[in-house]
Amino acid sequence: MRRKLAAGNWKMNGTNASLAEVQILTRNHPAPSVDLLICPPATLIVQAAALTADSPLEIGAQDCHAAAAGAHTGDISAVMLAEAGARAVILGHSERRQDHDESSALVSAKTQAAWASGLTAVVCLGETLAQREAAQTLDIIADQLDASLPDGATGTNTVIAYEPIWAIGTGLTPSTAQIAEVHDFLRRRLADRFGEDRADTIRLLYGGSVKPSNAMEIFATSNVDGALVGGASLKAADFSPIVKALEDCAATP
Ligand code: PGA
């Protein structure tokens, strides 16, 4: 069975004061029945990792460079993130694909770099509203999945996050039927490429406007193994009920 995962993506939000939220989460969830990951901005990773050292809550990053070191002003390598205390890294988020022109080939190279440093890659995929309206969603998802994932993907080193771009930060969410369609498709496509046994270990997260009020319904959807949460991960008061909903769902056979 895949262990469920609640992951928070703080994006470019959070200063030292926000570390209090991490502390509250460790107190709220001393022994969670699901995996917990918070990805703060890179500046907070060392402190957040220290604060959570004795807790099951893990700390991740939001991007890395594909190279281990070199002349890349402003970039951070996976080696550095691992040393800072990160256990995972979000790669290919739509905001990076759009704002920084990241291709799936680059995401694949970054994924290799993450693995080489022992980080779990949380690889993000998602269609635009125009692509959905043109009935291209599954084609886009297939292309992104194939090109963003290197051959060595396993349930230990990789998590996939389906995040429709039009649902991110908008308050809009797909219907559970639309989420199920994509997640079932992803599971089949992983099975075609890696075989069913390996595909069955890779967790598929949904992301895009997940909040306490819609979490339960989304978590009950076919092939949804958890969520990648943006805005509602910034405050423990919002994220904890989402974690609780995932725990409740994990407890329901
Ligand atoms: P949101 O962001 O929950 O604020 O919509 C999700 C994400 O971009 O990972």
Side-chain angles (χ1 to χ4, degrees):
M1 266 308 281
R2 295 178 296 274
R3 196 169 151 92
K4 308 234 177 239
L5 169 63
N9 172 12
W10 282 12
K11 310 192 179 185
M12 198 171 70
N13 298 293
T15 54
N16 285 350
S18 320
L19 293 167
E21 300 299 326
V22 172
Q23 244 164 342
I24 297 169
L25 286 176
T26 61
R27 258 183 264 129
N28 287 356
H29 309 285
S33 60
V34 300
D35 287 345
L36 301 181
L37 173 70
I38 290 288
C39 302
T43 47
L44 295 180
I45 290 175
V46 169
Q47 293 174 81
L51 279 176
T52 56
D54 297 324
S55 148
L57 172 63
E58 295 201 320
I59 299 301
Q62 301 172 15
D63 179 47
C64 71
H65 197 277
H72 304 289
T73 303
D75 280 313
I76 303 179
S77 72
V79 184
M80 296 166 180
L81 294 172
E83 193 181 74
R87 295 283 168 267
V89 57
I90 297 169
L91 294 172
H93 190 282
S94 60
E95 286 151 17
R96 300 236 26 119
R97 290 180 189 262
Q98 289 185 329
D99 298 355
H100 300 270
D101 253 339
E102 290 196 3
S103 65
S104 291
L106 180 63
V107 174
S108 175
K110 290 182 173 196
T111 300
Q112 296 270 21
W115 293 347
S117 292
L119 300 178
T120 298
V122 181
V123 177
C124 302
L125 321 162
E127 82 286 2
T128 64
L129 187 57
Q131 288 163 340
R132 176 161 283 276
E133 286 173 349
Q136 293 168 345
T137 298
L138 296 184
D139 290 339
I140 294 292
I141 295 296
D143 287 350
Q144 289 181 351
L145 182 73
D146 295 356
S148 303
L149 265 201
D151 283 336
T154 69
T156 314
N157 65 22
T158 302
V159 172
I160 308 287
Y162 167 56
E163 300 203 305
I165 294 170
W166 50 275
I168 294 177
T170 57
L172 301 172
T173 47
S175 67
T176 52
Q178 288 172 321
I179 296 174
E181 183 190 28
V182 173
H183 280 235
D184 291 350
F185 175 79
L186 283 169
R187 182 75 62 211
R188 278 199 308 276
R189 194 143 184 115
L190 289 170
D192 287 347
R193 176 161 170 199
F194 299 119
E196 240 167 72
D197 288 352
R198 208 198 314 174
D200 270 351
T201 65
I202 299 179
R203 291 177 289 186
L204 304 178
L205 307 184
Y206 167 78
S209 296
V210 175
K211 45 189 186 246
S213 60
N214 62 16
M216 199 61 199
E217 181 186 34
I218 290 170
F219 293 151
T221 303
S222 171
N223 273 311
V224 172
D225 302 310
L228 180 56
V229 184
S233 71
L234 295 173
K235 294 278 174 223
D238 295 322
F239 195 59
S240 279
I242 294 173
V243 172
K244 180 73 175 51
L246 190 59
E247 288 186 311
D248 288 350
C249 184
T252 318

